[in-house]
Amino acid sequence: MQHPNKQLVSKRKKFSKIFVMSVLGLLLFIIVFDQLQIDGIQPIVPPYILLSAFFSITITSYIISKSQYDFEHIYRITTLLITTFIFFCSMYVQHVSIVIYLLYVPMLLMTLMLTNLRATIITSIFILIICYFTPILSESLIVAEDKNKFNNSNIIKFQDYVLIGFSSYLSIIILYFNNEFNKLKSHSQPAIKDNFITDSNTFATILYEDSKTDMPPDKMEVLYDRIISFFENEKPYTNPDFNITMLAKELDTNGSYISQTLRKKSSKNFRDFVNEYRINQVISELYNVAHKKFTIEHIYLKAGFIQQSTFNRVFKKVTGVTPSRYIEDLL
């Protein structure tokens, strides 16, 4: 069975493909109708704006697919750019139709998928303010299209139906994939959260390790060698669920002895010891020429990290610089 982390990467790629193709499909659909002039139907938004958006998205998507990128970071930028595009289009069609405001709904759902409920509520308030001031800005800048230009109400109704349908479709897609992402994230971290040990027995052994009898130096040396050998050969740290209890079981010892050994021999606690191995694997992958065909997200997930925020924090703690800065220095 495929590991939840790999399933998450696969699902994100699938979402990216559907999302980009859907947006491009809408733009292409309206552009084609403009060119065919079917029943007098033409886009309310000028063709040059639609064509610019179409080619910009196509080129950007191609470049992203061939380079390293972080899913959450890229789609936060994408959501902001699309929201900005909707804002400018809404100013242009202000006197014709306000249905375009519905396109903000999937953007809010994207915000929920990429951040949290609090950030989504704040974004919702911000968008409501934008909607309120859009007519005022449109009048001030004199950019709104004259409604009299569209003397056939079917033109407006047709495009309203298209926007309503597209907004509903995109919202359903985002909700579906957001649910899938959450399922995979919950399955991939039953024993840990944000790469912190949460097993109660493990906490107990670490909390009271000082009250345990210290290991003899010779036995500690042997145990440390066994830990290093196990990490080097088996790479258990690539499992995001890996914890001190699992290691103790593998080495037929207990968590208290492992904690004592790591603190004495490496001056690190278990979590830092594991995360350093993960970072070293990421760095090794970055130096490998073959890494260029993989995203940074793929690399850190493969190393055992779950969340981008954790990876960024640990990476900077170990190397002293952010992942993006480190990659820039390699180029």
Side-chain angles (χ1 to χ4, degrees):
M1 184 177 179
Q2 195 178 32
H3 194 279
N5 273 4
K6 294 182 179 179
Q7 290 180 326
L8 181 60
V9 172
S10 177
K11 282 285 184 182
R12 284 175 168 176
K13 287 181 179 179
K14 186 176 181 181
F15 169 78
S16 298
K17 184 176 180 181
I18 293 176
F19 181 82
V20 171
M21 295 303 293
S22 298
V23 174
L24 291 177
L26 174 67
L27 294 173
L28 187 61
F29 180 79
I30 298 177
I31 291 170
V32 168
F33 264 94
D34 174 48
Q35 297 302 313
L36 295 178
Q37 295 289 321
I38 298 177
D39 294 331
I41 296 175
Q42 57 180 318
I44 300 174
V45 179
Y48 72 87
I49 295 179
L50 297 173
L51 284 169
S52 298
F54 180 86
F55 286 112
S56 296
I57 294 173
T58 302
I59 294 171
T60 303
S61 300
Y62 176 78
I63 293 174
I64 290 174
S65 68
K66 298 298 181 181
S67 61
Q68 299 178 24
Y69 73 94
D70 182 272
F71 176 85
E72 293 183 357
H73 181 68
I74 285 296
Y75 273 90
R76 282 172 183 166
I77 296 174
T78 301
T79 302
L80 178 62
L81 291 176
I82 293 178
T83 301
T84 303
F85 179 74
I86 294 171
F87 167 68
F88 281 111
C89 288
S90 63
M91 283 202 303
Y92 195 86
V93 303
Q94 186 58 222
H95 294 162
V96 182
S97 174
I98 60 172
V99 173
I100 194 171
Y101 287 159
L102 287 177
L103 292 180
Y104 284 126
V105 175
M107 294 302 100
L108 287 173
L109 294 176
M110 282 284 286
T111 303
L112 180 62
M113 181 174 72
L114 298 169
T115 56
N116 51 50
L117 183 59
R118 181 173 176 273
T120 305
I121 292 174
I122 294 173
T123 305
S124 300
I125 295 172
F126 179 71
I127 286 180
L128 285 174
I129 294 173
I130 287 177
C131 292
Y132 177 81
F133 282 102
T134 297
I136 299 174
L137 288 172
S138 180
E139 290 289 342
S140 300
L141 299 175
I142 317 176
V143 296
E145 187 68 85
D146 186 1
K147 188 172 183 177
N148 295 326
K149 177 180 177 181
F150 303 91
N151 50 24
N152 186 348
S153 61
N154 290 330
I155 298 174
I156 300 174
K157 287 182 180 179
F158 172 79
Q159 294 192 81
D160 282 351
Y161 290 144
V162 170
L163 292 179
I164 292 171
F166 180 76
S167 177
S168 301
Y169 160 77
L170 204 57
S171 297
I172 292 171
I173 291 295
I174 294 171
L175 286 172
Y176 168 76
F177 276 97
N178 185 42
N179 184 54
E180 291 295 302
F181 295 159
N182 289 334
K183 284 182 181 178
L184 290 172
K185 286 178 181 178
S186 63
H187 289 164
S188 67
Q189 46 183 336
I192 59 173
K193 181 178 181 181
D194 202 28
N195 289 90
F196 280 79
I197 304 167
T198 57
D199 180 77
S200 58
N201 293 327
T202 300
F203 268 129
T205 58
I206 294 175
L207 185 61
Y208 297 108
E209 65 178 11
D210 291 336
S211 65
K212 302 287 185 180
T213 303
D214 288 341
M215 289 182 69
D218 56 334
K219 290 186 178 180
M220 185 176 290
E221 187 72 37
V222 172
L223 179 56
Y224 185 67
D225 289 342
R226 292 179 64 200
I227 292 172
I228 295 297
S229 177
F230 184 67
F231 269 65
E232 295 290 344
N233 296 323
E234 302 298 329
K235 302 186 188 307
Y237 52 86
T238 58
N239 175 8
D241 300 336
F242 184 66
N243 57 44
I244 198 169
T245 303
M246 296 168 67
L247 179 59
K249 185 176 179 180
E250 288 289 341
L251 300 181
D252 194 24
T253 183
N254 62 63
S256 177
Y257 285 164
I258 290 174
S259 293
Q260 287 183 45
T261 300
L262 292 178
R263 288 182 184 276
K264 292 283 187 180
K265 304 297 291 185
S266 69
S267 301
K268 298 181 182 70
N269 60 31
F270 177 77
R271 183 181 67 250
D272 290 341
F273 184 80
V274 171
N275 282 337
E276 186 167 306
Y277 264 90
R278 288 171 175 161
I279 293 300
N280 287 337
Q281 175 167 314
V282 170
I283 292 174
S284 178
E285 291 279 352
L286 292 176
Y287 273 101
N288 188 343
V289 177
H291 87 274
K292 294 183 178 179
K293 61 184 178 183
F294 298 114
T295 65
I296 187 64
E297 180 185 32
H298 172 87
I299 293 174
Y300 74 66
L301 286 174
K302 182 181 175 183
F305 288 102
I306 293 175
Q307 298 180 349
Q308 176 199 353
S309 57
T310 304
F311 166 67
N312 289 341
R313 174 176 53 77
V314 175
F315 192 97
K316 187 172 183 179
K317 180 180 179 181
V318 173
T319 66
V321 296
T322 62
S324 57
R325 177 61 184 274
Y326 195 93
I327 293 171
E328 286 177 6
D329 292 341
L330 288 178
L331 300 177

mmCIF file with all atom_site columns, all heavy atoms in Angstrom, residues 90-112:
data_model
loop_
_atom_site.group_PDB
_atom_site.id
_atom_site.type_symbol
_atom_site.label_atom_id
_atom_site.label_alt_id
_atom_site.label_comp_id
_atom_site.label_asym_id
_atom_site.label_entity_id
_atom_site.label_seq_id
_atom_site.pdbx_PDB_ins_code
_atom_site.Cartn_x
_atom_site.Cartn_y
_atom_site.Cartn_z
_atom_site.occupancy
_atom_site.B_iso_or_equiv
_atom_site.pdbx_formal_charge
_atom_site.auth_seq_id
_atom_site.auth_comp_id
_atom_site.auth_asym_id
_atom_site.auth_atom_id
_atom_site.pdbx_PDB_model_num
ATOM 1   N N   . SER A 1 90  ? -14.058 42.542 -12.253 1.00 0.00 ? 90  SER A N   1
ATOM 2   C CA  . SER A 1 90  ? -15.313 43.000 -11.648 1.00 0.00 ? 90  SER A CA  1
ATOM 3   C C   . SER A 1 90  ? -15.477 44.508 -11.783 1.00 0.00 ? 90  SER A C   1
ATOM 4   O O   . SER A 1 90  ? -16.596 45.014 -11.921 1.00 0.00 ? 90  SER A O   1
ATOM 5   C CB  . SER A 1 90  ? -15.370 42.590 -10.169 1.00 0.00 ? 90  SER A CB  1
ATOM 6   O OG  . SER A 1 90  ? -14.345 43.215 -9.428  1.00 0.00 ? 90  SER A OG  1
ATOM 7   N N   . MET A 1 91  ? -14.367 45.253 -11.733 1.00 0.00 ? 91  MET A N   1
ATOM 8   C CA  . MET A 1 91  ? -14.456 46.691 -11.964 1.00 0.00 ? 91  MET A CA  1
ATOM 9   C C   . MET A 1 91  ? -14.884 46.975 -13.401 1.00 0.00 ? 91  MET A C   1
ATOM 10  O O   . MET A 1 91  ? -15.670 47.893 -13.655 1.00 0.00 ? 91  MET A O   1
ATOM 11  C CB  . MET A 1 91  ? -13.099 47.356 -11.687 1.00 0.00 ? 91  MET A CB  1
ATOM 12  C CG  . MET A 1 91  ? -12.775 47.535 -10.228 1.00 0.00 ? 91  MET A CG  1
ATOM 13  S SD  . MET A 1 91  ? -11.551 48.846 -9.942  1.00 0.00 ? 91  MET A SD  1
ATOM 14  C CE  . MET A 1 91  ? -10.197 48.273 -10.945 1.00 0.00 ? 91  MET A CE  1
ATOM 15  N N   . TYR A 1 92  ? -14.389 46.174 -14.322 1.00 0.00 ? 92  TYR A N   1
ATOM 16  C CA  . TYR A 1 92  ? -14.678 46.388 -15.733 1.00 0.00 ? 92  TYR A CA  1
ATOM 17  C C   . TYR A 1 92  ? -16.148 46.114 -16.061 1.00 0.00 ? 92  TYR A C   1
ATOM 18  O O   . TYR A 1 92  ? -16.755 46.805 -16.889 1.00 0.00 ? 92  TYR A O   1
ATOM 19  C CB  . TYR A 1 92  ? -13.773 45.499 -16.581 1.00 0.00 ? 92  TYR A CB  1
ATOM 20  C CG  . TYR A 1 92  ? -13.733 45.880 -18.040 1.00 0.00 ? 92  TYR A CG  1
ATOM 21  C CD1 . TYR A 1 92  ? -12.851 46.859 -18.502 1.00 0.00 ? 92  TYR A CD1 1
ATOM 22  C CD2 . TYR A 1 92  ? -14.592 45.275 -18.953 1.00 0.00 ? 92  TYR A CD2 1
ATOM 23  C CE1 . TYR A 1 92  ? -12.826 47.223 -19.830 1.00 0.00 ? 92  TYR A CE1 1
ATOM 24  C CE2 . TYR A 1 92  ? -14.567 45.633 -20.287 1.00 0.00 ? 92  TYR A CE2 1
ATOM 25  C CZ  . TYR A 1 92  ? -13.683 46.609 -20.731 1.00 0.00 ? 92  TYR A CZ  1
ATOM 26  O OH  . TYR A 1 92  ? -13.668 46.969 -22.050 1.00 0.00 ? 92  TYR A OH  1
ATOM 27  N N   . VAL A 1 93  ? -16.735 45.078 -15.422 1.00 0.00 ? 93  VAL A N   1
ATOM 28  C CA  . VAL A 1 93  ? -18.118 44.678 -15.752 1.00 0.00 ? 93  VAL A CA  1
ATOM 29  C C   . VAL A 1 93  ? -19.119 45.172 -14.718 1.00 0.00 ? 93  VAL A C   1
ATOM 30  O O   . VAL A 1 93  ? -20.257 44.684 -14.666 1.00 0.00 ? 93  VAL A O   1
ATOM 31  C CB  . VAL A 1 93  ? -18.214 43.144 -15.885 1.00 0.00 ? 93  VAL A CB  1
ATOM 32  C CG1 . VAL A 1 93  ? -17.250 42.632 -16.931 1.00 0.00 ? 93  VAL A CG1 1
ATOM 33  C CG2 . VAL A 1 93  ? -17.962 42.462 -14.546 1.00 0.00 ? 93  VAL A CG2 1
ATOM 34  N N   . GLN A 1 94  ? -18.736 46.119 -13.891 1.00 0.00 ? 94  GLN A N   1
ATOM 35  C CA  . GLN A 1 94  ? -19.554 46.569 -12.778 1.00 0.00 ? 94  GLN A CA  1
ATOM 36  C C   . GLN A 1 94  ? -20.975 46.965 -13.188 1.00 0.00 ? 94  GLN A C   1
ATOM 37  O O   . GLN A 1 94  ? -21.943 46.639 -12.505 1.00 0.00 ? 94  GLN A O   1
ATOM 38  C CB  . GLN A 1 94  ? -18.876 47.752 -12.082 1.00 0.00 ? 94  GLN A CB  1
ATOM 39  C CG  . GLN A 1 94  ? -19.557 48.211 -10.819 1.00 0.00 ? 94  GLN A CG  1
ATOM 40  C CD  . GLN A 1 94  ? -19.662 47.100 -9.782  1.00 0.00 ? 94  GLN A CD  1
ATOM 41  O OE1 . GLN A 1 94  ? -20.698 46.950 -9.145  1.00 0.00 ? 94  GLN A OE1 1
ATOM 42  N NE2 . GLN A 1 94  ? -18.607 46.313 -9.622  1.00 0.00 ? 94  GLN A NE2 1
ATOM 43  N N   . HIS A 1 95  ? -21.118 47.647 -14.315 1.00 0.00 ? 95  HIS A N   1
ATOM 44  C CA  . HIS A 1 95  ? -22.439 48.119 -14.761 1.00 0.00 ? 95  HIS A CA  1
ATOM 45  C C   . HIS A 1 95  ? -23.214 47.052 -15.526 1.00 0.00 ? 95  HIS A C   1
ATOM 46  O O   . HIS A 1 95  ? -24.384 47.248 -15.851 1.00 0.00 ? 95  HIS A O   1
ATOM 47  C CB  . HIS A 1 95  ? -22.288 49.361 -15.648 1.00 0.00 ? 95  HIS A CB  1
ATOM 48  C CG  . HIS A 1 95  ? -21.768 50.545 -14.911 1.00 0.00 ? 95  HIS A CG  1
ATOM 49  N ND1 . HIS A 1 95  ? -21.211 51.640 -15.547 1.00 0.00 ? 95  HIS A ND1 1
ATOM 50  C CD2 . HIS A 1 95  ? -21.705 50.804 -13.584 1.00 0.00 ? 95  HIS A CD2 1
ATOM 51  C CE1 . HIS A 1 95  ? -20.841 52.526 -14.623 1.00 0.00 ? 95  HIS A CE1 1
ATOM 52  N NE2 . HIS A 1 95  ? -21.126 52.034 -13.441 1.00 0.00 ? 95  HIS A NE2 1
ATOM 53  N N   . VAL A 1 96  ? -22.557 45.951 -15.831 1.00 0.00 ? 96  VAL A N   1
ATOM 54  C CA  . VAL A 1 96  ? -23.180 44.909 -16.652 1.00 0.00 ? 96  VAL A CA  1
ATOM 55  C C   . VAL A 1 96  ? -23.709 43.765 -15.798 1.00 0.00 ? 96  VAL A C   1
ATOM 56  O O   . VAL A 1 96  ? -24.856 43.337 -15.939 1.00 0.00 ? 96  VAL A O   1
ATOM 57  C CB  . VAL A 1 96  ? -22.166 44.361 -17.683 1.00 0.00 ? 96  VAL A CB  1
ATOM 58  C CG1 . VAL A 1 96  ? -22.832 43.306 -18.562 1.00 0.00 ? 96  VAL A CG1 1
ATOM 59  C CG2 . VAL A 1 96  ? -21.605 45.492 -18.526 1.00 0.00 ? 96  VAL A CG2 1
ATOM 60  N N   . SER A 1 97  ? -22.868 43.259 -14.898 1.00 0.00 ? 97  SER A N   1
ATOM 61  C CA  . SER A 1 97  ? -23.266 42.130 -14.055 1.00 0.00 ? 97  SER A CA  1
ATOM 62  C C   . SER A 1 97  ? -22.344 42.038 -12.843 1.00 0.00 ? 97  SER A C   1
ATOM 63  O O   . SER A 1 97  ? -21.154 42.342 -12.931 1.00 0.00 ? 97  SER A O   1
ATOM 64  C CB  . SER A 1 97  ? -23.201 40.825 -14.852 1.00 0.00 ? 97  SER A CB  1
ATOM 65  O OG  . SER A 1 97  ? -23.450 39.711 -14.019 1.00 0.00 ? 97  SER A OG  1
ATOM 66  N N   . ILE A 1 98  ? -22.928 41.629 -11.725 1.00 0.00 ? 98  ILE A N   1
ATOM 67  C CA  . ILE A 1 98  ? -22.123 41.459 -10.516 1.00 0.00 ? 98  ILE A CA  1
ATOM 68  C C   . ILE A 1 98  ? -21.974 39.971 -10.161 1.00 0.00 ? 98  ILE A C   1
ATOM 69  O O   . ILE A 1 98  ? -21.451 39.632 -9.095  1.00 0.00 ? 98  ILE A O   1
ATOM 70  C CB  . ILE A 1 98  ? -22.729 42.216 -9.320  1.00 0.00 ? 98  ILE A CB  1
ATOM 71  C CG1 . ILE A 1 98  ? -24.150 41.708 -9.022  1.00 0.00 ? 98  ILE A CG1 1
ATOM 72  C CG2 . ILE A 1 98  ? -22.713 43.712 -9.566  1.00 0.00 ? 98  ILE A CG2 1
ATOM 73  C CD1 . ILE A 1 98  ? -24.737 42.287 -7.738  1.00 0.00 ? 98  ILE A CD1 1
ATOM 74  N N   . VAL A 1 99  ? -22.412 39.105 -11.054 1.00 0.00 ? 99  VAL A N   1
ATOM 75  C CA  . VAL A 1 99  ? -22.291 37.662 -10.817 1.00 0.00 ? 99  VAL A CA  1
ATOM 76  C C   . VAL A 1 99  ? -20.832 37.243 -10.700 1.00 0.00 ? 99  VAL A C   1
ATOM 77  O O   . VAL A 1 99  ? -20.507 36.239 -10.054 1.00 0.00 ? 99  VAL A O   1
ATOM 78  C CB  . VAL A 1 99  ? -22.996 36.867 -11.947 1.00 0.00 ? 99  VAL A CB  1
ATOM 79  C CG1 . VAL A 1 99  ? -22.740 35.370 -11.808 1.00 0.00 ? 99  VAL A CG1 1
ATOM 80  C CG2 . VAL A 1 99  ? -24.491 37.136 -11.911 1.00 0.00 ? 99  VAL A CG2 1
ATOM 81  N N   . ILE A 1 100 ? -19.946 38.035 -11.308 1.00 0.00 ? 100 ILE A N   1
ATOM 82  C CA  . ILE A 1 100 ? -18.522 37.702 -11.248 1.00 0.00 ? 100 ILE A CA  1
ATOM 83  C C   . ILE A 1 100 ? -18.014 37.651 -9.813  1.00 0.00 ? 100 ILE A C   1
ATOM 84  O O   . ILE A 1 100 ? -17.012 36.991 -9.512  1.00 0.00 ? 100 ILE A O   1
ATOM 85  C CB  . ILE A 1 100 ? -17.695 38.735 -12.066 1.00 0.00 ? 100 ILE A CB  1
ATOM 86  C CG1 . ILE A 1 100 ? -16.267 38.196 -12.304 1.00 0.00 ? 100 ILE A CG1 1
ATOM 87  C CG2 . ILE A 1 100 ? -17.692 40.088 -11.375 1.00 0.00 ? 100 ILE A CG2 1
ATOM 88  C CD1 . ILE A 1 100 ? -15.461 39.019 -13.274 1.00 0.00 ? 100 ILE A CD1 1
ATOM 89  N N   . TYR A 1 101 ? -18.735 38.313 -8.888  1.00 0.00 ? 101 TYR A N   1
ATOM 90  C CA  . TYR A 1 101 ? -18.349 38.257 -7.478  1.00 0.00 ? 101 TYR A CA  1
ATOM 91  C C   . TYR A 1 101 ? -18.368 36.826 -6.939  1.00 0.00 ? 101 TYR A C   1
ATOM 92  O O   . TYR A 1 101 ? -17.671 36.516 -5.966  1.00 0.00 ? 101 TYR A O   1
ATOM 93  C CB  . TYR A 1 101 ? -19.284 39.116 -6.628  1.00 0.00 ? 101 TYR A CB  1
ATOM 94  C CG  . TYR A 1 101 ? -19.082 40.608 -6.785  1.00 0.00 ? 101 TYR A CG  1
ATOM 95  C CD1 . TYR A 1 101 ? -20.087 41.504 -6.435  1.00 0.00 ? 101 TYR A CD1 1
ATOM 96  C CD2 . TYR A 1 101 ? -17.882 41.130 -7.275  1.00 0.00 ? 101 TYR A CD2 1
ATOM 97  C CE1 . TYR A 1 101 ? -19.916 42.872 -6.570  1.00 0.00 ? 101 TYR A CE1 1
ATOM 98  C CE2 . TYR A 1 101 ? -17.698 42.492 -7.413  1.00 0.00 ? 101 TYR A CE2 1
ATOM 99  C CZ  . TYR A 1 101 ? -18.719 43.368 -7.055  1.00 0.00 ? 101 TYR A CZ  1
ATOM 100 O OH  . TYR A 1 101 ? -18.531 44.720 -7.184  1.00 0.00 ? 101 TYR A OH  1
ATOM 101 N N   . LEU A 1 102 ? -19.170 35.959 -7.558  1.00 0.00 ? 102 LEU A N   1
ATOM 102 C CA  . LEU A 1 102 ? -19.254 34.565 -7.114  1.00 0.00 ? 102 LEU A CA  1
ATOM 103 C C   . LEU A 1 102 ? -17.918 33.830 -7.262  1.00 0.00 ? 102 LEU A C   1
ATOM 104 O O   . LEU A 1 102 ? -17.670 32.842 -6.587  1.00 0.00 ? 102 LEU A O   1
ATOM 105 C CB  . LEU A 1 102 ? -20.338 33.817 -7.893  1.00 0.00 ? 102 LEU A CB  1
ATOM 106 C CG  . LEU A 1 102 ? -21.792 34.153 -7.546  1.00 0.00 ? 102 LEU A CG  1
ATOM 107 C CD1 . LEU A 1 102 ? -22.736 33.372 -8.449  1.00 0.00 ? 102 LEU A CD1 1
ATOM 108 C CD2 . LEU A 1 102 ? -22.081 33.838 -6.076  1.00 0.00 ? 102 LEU A CD2 1
ATOM 109 N N   . LEU A 1 103 ? -17.050 34.329 -8.144  1.00 0.00 ? 103 LEU A N   1
ATOM 110 C CA  . LEU A 1 103 ? -15.746 33.691 -8.329  1.00 0.00 ? 103 LEU A CA  1
ATOM 111 C C   . LEU A 1 103 ? -14.850 33.860 -7.111  1.00 0.00 ? 103 LEU A C   1
ATOM 112 O O   . LEU A 1 103 ? -13.839 33.166 -6.969  1.00 0.00 ? 103 LEU A O   1
ATOM 113 C CB  . LEU A 1 103 ? -15.047 34.260 -9.573  1.00 0.00 ? 103 LEU A CB  1
ATOM 114 C CG  . LEU A 1 103 ? -15.687 33.920 -10.916 1.00 0.00 ? 103 LEU A CG  1
ATOM 115 C CD1 . LEU A 1 103 ? -14.904 34.551 -12.058 1.00 0.00 ? 103 LEU A CD1 1
ATOM 116 C CD2 . LEU A 1 103 ? -15.764 32.405 -11.116 1.00 0.00 ? 103 LEU A CD2 1
ATOM 117 N N   . TYR A 1 104 ? -15.230 34.782 -6.213  1.00 0.00 ? 104 TYR A N   1
ATOM 118 C CA  . TYR A 1 104 ? -14.476 34.915 -4.975  1.00 0.00 ? 104 TYR A CA  1
ATOM 119 C C   . TYR A 1 104 ? -14.684 33.707 -4.052  1.00 0.00 ? 104 TYR A C   1
ATOM 120 O O   . TYR A 1 104 ? -13.842 33.419 -3.204  1.00 0.00 ? 104 TYR A O   1
ATOM 121 C CB  . TYR A 1 104 ? -14.896 36.182 -4.221  1.00 0.00 ? 104 TYR A CB  1
ATOM 122 C CG  . TYR A 1 104 ? -14.351 37.472 -4.797  1.00 0.00 ? 104 TYR A CG  1
ATOM 123 C CD1 . TYR A 1 104 ? -15.200 38.519 -5.138  1.00 0.00 ? 104 TYR A CD1 1
ATOM 124 C CD2 . TYR A 1 104 ? -12.980 37.651 -4.971  1.00 0.00 ? 104 TYR A CD2 1
ATOM 125 C CE1 . TYR A 1 104 ? -14.711 39.715 -5.644  1.00 0.00 ? 104 TYR A CE1 1
ATOM 126 C CE2 . TYR A 1 104 ? -12.476 38.842 -5.475  1.00 0.00 ? 104 TYR A CE2 1
ATOM 127 C CZ  . TYR A 1 104 ? -13.344 39.868 -5.816  1.00 0.00 ? 104 TYR A CZ  1
ATOM 128 O OH  . TYR A 1 104 ? -12.845 41.044 -6.320  1.00 0.00 ? 104 TYR A OH  1
ATOM 129 N N   . VAL A 1 105 ? -15.837 33.023 -4.219  1.00 0.00 ? 105 VAL A N   1
ATOM 130 C CA  . VAL A 1 105 ? -16.162 31.891 -3.340  1.00 0.00 ? 105 VAL A CA  1
ATOM 131 C C   . VAL A 1 105 ? -15.115 30.776 -3.423  1.00 0.00 ? 105 VAL A C   1
ATOM 132 O O   . VAL A 1 105 ? -14.578 30.348 -2.386  1.00 0.00 ? 105 VAL A O   1
ATOM 133 C CB  . VAL A 1 105 ? -17.574 31.343 -3.644  1.00 0.00 ? 105 VAL A CB  1
ATOM 134 C CG1 . VAL A 1 105 ? -17.845 30.082 -2.818  1.00 0.00 ? 105 VAL A CG1 1
ATOM 135 C CG2 . VAL A 1 105 ? -18.623 32.404 -3.355  1.00 0.00 ? 105 VAL A CG2 1
ATOM 136 N N   . PRO A 1 106 ? -14.792 30.260 -4.641  1.00 0.00 ? 106 PRO A N   1
ATOM 137 C CA  . PRO A 1 106 ? -13.741 29.232 -4.681  1.00 0.00 ? 106 PRO A CA  1
ATOM 138 C C   . PRO A 1 106 ? -12.377 29.727 -4.188  1.00 0.00 ? 106 PRO A C   1
ATOM 139 O O   . PRO A 1 106 ? -11.586 28.945 -3.669  1.00 0.00 ? 106 PRO A O   1
ATOM 140 C CB  . PRO A 1 106 ? -13.683 28.833 -6.163  1.00 0.00 ? 106 PRO A CB  1
ATOM 141 C CG  . PRO A 1 106 ? -14.406 29.883 -6.915  1.00 0.00 ? 106 PRO A CG  1
ATOM 142 C CD  . PRO A 1 106 ? -15.395 30.455 -5.966  1.00 0.00 ? 106 PRO A CD  1
ATOM 143 N N   . MET A 1 107 ? -12.133 31.038 -4.320  1.00 0.00 ? 107 MET A N   1
ATOM 144 C CA  . MET A 1 107 ? -10.865 31.573 -3.814  1.00 0.00 ? 107 MET A CA  1
ATOM 145 C C   . MET A 1 107 ? -10.832 31.543 -2.280  1.00 0.00 ? 107 MET A C   1
ATOM 146 O O   . MET A 1 107 ? -9.781  31.292 -1.673  1.00 0.00 ? 107 MET A O   1
ATOM 147 C CB  . MET A 1 107 ? -10.657 33.014 -4.306  1.00 0.00 ? 107 MET A CB  1
ATOM 148 C CG  . MET A 1 107 ? -10.479 33.141 -5.813  1.00 0.00 ? 107 MET A CG  1
ATOM 149 S SD  . MET A 1 107 ? -9.084  32.163 -6.449  1.00 0.00 ? 107 MET A SD  1
ATOM 150 C CE  . MET A 1 107 ? -9.943  30.712 -7.095  1.00 0.00 ? 107 MET A CE  1
ATOM 151 N N   . LEU A 1 108 ? -11.979 31.754 -1.658  1.00 0.00 ? 108 LEU A N   1
ATOM 152 C CA  . LEU A 1 108 ? -12.063 31.645 -0.200  1.00 0.00 ? 108 LEU A CA  1
ATOM 153 C C   . LEU A 1 108 ? -11.881 30.194 0.241   1.00 0.00 ? 108 LEU A C   1
ATOM 154 O O   . LEU A 1 108 ? -11.236 29.919 1.263   1.00 0.00 ? 108 LEU A O   1
ATOM 155 C CB  . LEU A 1 108 ? -13.410 32.177 0.293   1.00 0.00 ? 108 LEU A CB  1
ATOM 156 C CG  . LEU A 1 108 ? -13.591 33.697 0.264   1.00 0.00 ? 108 LEU A CG  1
ATOM 157 C CD1 . LEU A 1 108 ? -15.015 34.076 0.621   1.00 0.00 ? 108 LEU A CD1 1
ATOM 158 C CD2 . LEU A 1 108 ? -12.615 34.363 1.237   1.00 0.00 ? 108 LEU A CD2 1
ATOM 159 N N   . LEU A 1 109 ? -12.432 29.279 -0.536  1.00 0.00 ? 109 LEU A N   1
ATOM 160 C CA  . LEU A 1 109 ? -12.268 27.853 -0.220  1.00 0.00 ? 109 LEU A CA  1
ATOM 161 C C   . LEU A 1 109 ? -10.811 27.431 -0.396  1.00 0.00 ? 109 LEU A C   1
ATOM 162 O O   . LEU A 1 109 ? -10.307 26.580 0.346   1.00 0.00 ? 109 LEU A O   1
ATOM 163 C CB  . LEU A 1 109 ? -13.185 27.007 -1.108  1.00 0.00 ? 109 LEU A CB  1
ATOM 164 C CG  . LEU A 1 109 ? -14.690 27.201 -0.873  1.00 0.00 ? 109 LEU A CG  1
ATOM 165 C CD1 . LEU A 1 109 ? -15.495 26.380 -1.871  1.00 0.00 ? 109 LEU A CD1 1
ATOM 166 C CD2 . LEU A 1 109 ? -15.055 26.799 0.558   1.00 0.00 ? 109 LEU A CD2 1
ATOM 167 N N   . MET A 1 110 ? -10.138 28.026 -1.377  1.00 0.00 ? 110 MET A N   1
ATOM 168 C CA  . MET A 1 110 ? -8.712  27.771 -1.546  1.00 0.00 ? 110 MET A CA  1
ATOM 169 C C   . MET A 1 110 ? -7.937  28.264 -0.317  1.00 0.00 ? 110 MET A C   1
ATOM 170 O O   . MET A 1 110 ? -7.003  27.613 0.154   1.00 0.00 ? 110 MET A O   1
ATOM 171 C CB  . MET A 1 110 ? -8.189  28.473 -2.802  1.00 0.00 ? 110 MET A CB  1
ATOM 172 C CG  . MET A 1 110 ? -8.516  27.758 -4.093  1.00 0.00 ? 110 MET A CG  1
ATOM 173 S SD  . MET A 1 110 ? -7.483  26.303 -4.367  1.00 0.00 ? 110 MET A SD  1
ATOM 174 C CE  . MET A 1 110 ? -5.928  27.074 -4.812  1.00 0.00 ? 110 MET A CE  1
ATOM 175 N N   . THR A 1 111 ? -8.335  29.418 0.181   1.00 0.00 ? 111 THR A N   1
ATOM 176 C CA  . THR A 1 111 ? -7.697  29.968 1.375   1.00 0.00 ? 111 THR A CA  1
ATOM 177 C C   . THR A 1 111 ? -7.875  29.030 2.559   1.00 0.00 ? 111 THR A C   1
ATOM 178 O O   . THR A 1 111 ? -6.946  28.793 3.332   1.00 0.00 ? 111 THR A O   1
ATOM 179 C CB  . THR A 1 111 ? -8.292  31.349 1.723   1.00 0.00 ? 111 THR A CB  1
ATOM 180 O OG1 . THR A 1 111 ? -8.152  32.223 0.601   1.00 0.00 ? 111 THR A OG1 1
ATOM 181 C CG2 . THR A 1 111 ? -7.591  31.960 2.928   1.00 0.00 ? 111 THR A CG2 1
ATOM 182 N N   . LEU A 1 112 ? -9.082  28.468 2.687   1.00 0.00 ? 112 LEU A N   1
ATOM 183 C CA  . LEU A 1 112 ? -9.352  27.520 3.763   1.00 0.00 ? 112 LEU A CA  1
ATOM 184 C C   . LEU A 1 112 ? -8.491  26.265 3.616   1.00 0.00 ? 112 LEU A C   1
ATOM 185 O O   . LEU A 1 112 ? -7.975  25.725 4.605   1.00 0.00 ? 112 LEU A O   1
ATOM 186 C CB  . LEU A 1 112 ? -10.833 27.142 3.763   1.00 0.00 ? 112 LEU A CB  1
ATOM 187 C CG  . LEU A 1 112 ? -11.281 26.143 4.837   1.00 0.00 ? 112 LEU A CG  1
ATOM 188 C CD1 . LEU A 1 112 ? -11.043 26.716 6.227   1.00 0.00 ? 112 LEU A CD1 1
ATOM 189 C CD2 . LEU A 1 112 ? -12.758 25.791 4.646   1.00 0.00 ? 112 LEU A CD2 1
#
